[in-house]
Amino acid sequence: MARSGLAGAARVARWADAALGPGRASATSDGTATLSDATAERAARELGLTAAQVRAEWDTARLAGLVEVHGDSARPGWRLRAWDRDDSAVLRGWVALFDAWSLAYPEPTEHEPAAVAEVVSAMPQVLSFLQLSAGPVPVEQLLDLLEQRVTELRTERCEIPYGPQPEPVEAPQPADTPLAPLLDWALRALASVGALTYGDGQATLTPLGSWAVWVKLEQICVAAQSPAGNIEVSAEEMLRGCAQLRPNAARAEYRAWLAARPVGSAVTELLGAARGEDALLRGLAFEALRVVGAPAEPDVRAVAEEPTLRPYALLWLAEHDGVDPEDAHEVLTREEATWLWVDTAAAVADHGEAPMLVRHLESALQPTIPQLLDEVRAVGHPRTVQVLVALAAAHPDPALAKAVRRAAFQVHTGGS
C-alpha cells in the first residue's frame, strides 16, 4: 500500500533527478524548492500528467522525504535511492507523509489559525480511537471526541489571567469556533495521504493507517520506558549514561532516546558526539547509529571522508550493506585498522581496567609486538603516546613493557 500510494511521487522525483540534476536546468524558482512553472509544464508533457498533478506529486515527494530540500535547491533523498531494494525506506517515507498530513491538504482559510492548531493537536486521540475501534466510526462520534479533546487542551493551557482585571467580558466558548468543518478538513487530509477512508458519514482507518498509529503508540511507550532516564539529555550525556550498560540494555536506551526526537537531528547530534575527544563515545555513537539504520546512511557516508570517523563509518556502511559483522573489518586498510585499534585502546585506557588494555593486544592485526609498535607509531593517532604509556604500565611482562615505553618515548620525541 505504501508503494502504491507513493508511486506517483516517486515517479516525479525520479524524473526530476534525471532531468534536473547537477549542471542541468534548475527545478525551482522561488528559493523554497517549489517547482517553477516551466519545470512543471515540462514534467507534465514528459510524464503524461497535468501540471497540477505534477505539483501535487512533487509536494508529496518532499513531505515523504523522496526529495530533500537544502536551501533553495532540492535533491533526491535516501528513501528514493533505496526505493527498489528497501521496503523499510518506503514505509518510512509514508510515515513521514502521514506525520505531515496537515500540510498535505489545504487547511480552511475561514477559520482562525489557533483553532486549526487545536484540531491538529487533538487528532492523535481521534486516530487512536479509530485504531482501537478497528472499523467504521460515525463522524458524529468523532466530533464529540474532538470537542472533548479541544476543551481539555484549552483547560490545560489555563488561559486565566492573574491580578486585577477590568470589567468581565464574556469569554468565547468552544461553540464559537465550530469544529465540524475542521474535523471534515482533518479527515479529508488524512484520507488524501492514505491513512483512512472517509465518506457516507463515517471514517475507517486503512490497514496502513492502523499500522502507523500503532507504531506511533509504540514509540511513545518505548520513550516512556527508558530505564536509565536519558531521553531528555544530549547525545553525549546519553552515550555516557549507556557506557556501563550491557549491550541489550544500551540498545534499549538508544531506541528510547531516538524515539523522542526527529531522526535527522538525532543523527547529527550523534555524529557531533563522535567527533569529540572521547574515543569511547565515538564507538558508542556508531552503535546508536546502528539502531537508527538506513536513515543514517547519507550522513555516515559523508563522514567517511573524515579521518577520525572513517574506520567507524566504513564498518557501519559494510554492515548496513549486508556484510557479516565478523567480516566487516576486511573493508579497512591496514592503516585504518591500526588507527581504529589505537582509538579503541584509548577508550579502554580512559574508561576500562588495566587487564582489558592488556587483552586488547590480542585484537591487533600485527603478528608481533615489534611490528605492532612500528605501525602504531606510523599511523599518527593523536592519543598514541598516552595509549602506549598506559599499556606499558599495565603489562605484566617487564621486557615487553620496556619496549612499549621506548616506543612511546620515540613517538613523543619524534624519534625512530
Side-chain angles (χ1 to χ4, degrees), residues 166-190:
E167 288 297 319
V169 177
E170 184 177 351
Q173 298 301 312
D176 293 343
T177 304
L179 296 181
L182 290 175
L183 176 61
D184 177 73
W185 160 72
L187 294 176
R188 289 182 186 279
L190 286 160

Side-chain angles (χ1 to χ4, degrees), residues 367-414:
T368 67
I369 295 299
Q371 190 173 355
L372 169 64
L373 294 177
D374 286 344
E375 295 187 27
V376 164
R377 287 200 302 265
V379 80
H381 192 288
R383 295 290 305 281
T384 297
V385 172
Q386 292 92 332
V387 164
L388 293 178
V389 168
L391 183 57
H395 206 284
D397 185 334
L400 189 147
K402 182 179 179 180
V404 174
R405 277 194 299 272
R406 184 185 305 114
F409 179 78
Q410 291 170 341
V411 174
H412 178 61
T413 60

Side-chain angles (χ1 to χ4, degrees), residues 18 65 81 166 209 224 228 241 265:
R81 298 297 192 209
S265 61

Side-chain angles (χ1 to χ4, degrees), residues 127-362:
L127 289 169
S128 297
F129 182 76
L130 280 166
Q131 204 265 350
L132 291 172
S133 300
V137 177
V139 173
E140 292 83 358
Q141 193 171 357
L142 296 178
L143 181 58
D144 288 341
L145 179 62
L146 179 65
E147 289 174 340
Q148 292 173 24
R149 182 57 184 149
V150 168
T151 299
E152 290 172 359
L153 290 171
R154 290 170 178 167
T155 303
E156 289 169 4
R157 283 202 304 269
C158 222
E159 295 176 338
I160 302 174
Y162 292 91
Q165 301 299 315
E167 288 297 319
V169 177
E170 184 177 351
Q173 298 301 312
D176 293 343
T177 304
L179 296 181
L182 290 175
L183 176 61
D184 177 73
W185 160 72
L187 294 176
R188 289 182 186 279
L190 286 160
S192 75
V193 302
L196 52 79
T197 58
Y198 176 42
D200 297 327
Q202 60 187 19
T204 309
L205 282 181
T206 64
L208 198 57
S210 181
W211 170 82
V213 174
W214 180 84
V215 167
K216 295 299 178 184
L217 292 172
E218 183 184 49
Q219 287 177 345
I220 292 171
C221 292
V222 168
Q225 294 172 1
S226 167
N230 291 307
I231 291 176
E232 296 182 1
V233 301
S234 67
E236 181 174 340
E237 291 178 275
M238 181 272 293
L239 294 172
R240 290 192 188 282
C242 294
Q244 302 302 320
L245 298 179
R246 298 179 68 84
N248 286 341
R251 281 191 288 272
E253 198 69 9
Y254 301 150
R255 284 193 292 269
W257 187 86
L258 291 164
R261 49 195 37 81
V263 65
S265 61
V267 170
T268 299
E269 200 173 337
L270 287 169
L271 290 174
R275 291 188 179 96
E277 296 182 358
D278 194 330
L280 176 65
L281 298 191
R282 198 155 23 253
L284 293 176
F286 277 86
E287 287 300 318
L289 288 168
R290 286 178 173 83
V291 175
V292 176
E297 180 183 357
D299 296 278
V300 173
R301 198 170 294 280
V303 303
E305 301 306 316
E306 300 180 26
T308 303
L309 303 184
R310 181 172 176 78
Y312 294 94
L314 292 178
L315 290 176
W316 190 98
L317 291 167
E319 293 175 25
H320 176 67
D321 290 339
V323 177
D324 190 300
E326 294 185 0
D327 300 326
H329 68 277
E330 295 178 4
V331 305
L332 303 180
T333 65
R334 181 72 163 241
E335 182 179 6
E336 290 163 349
T338 301
W339 195 100
L340 182 60
W341 185 90
V342 178
D343 205 49
T344 307
V348 175
D350 289 343
H351 301 278
E353 299 177 353
M356 292 178 62
L357 190 57
V358 174
R359 289 196 299 271
H360 187 57
L361 275 173
E362 300 174 2

Side-chain angles (χ1 to χ4, degrees), residues 8 30 58 119 259 279 345 351 363 398:
D30 63 356
W58 177 259
V119 170
H351 301 278
S363 66

Side-chain angles (χ1 to χ4, degrees), residues 13-31:
R14 281 180 167 158
W15 176 87
D17 184 27
L20 308 170
R24 302 181 180 90
S26 174
T28 65
S29 62
D30 63 356

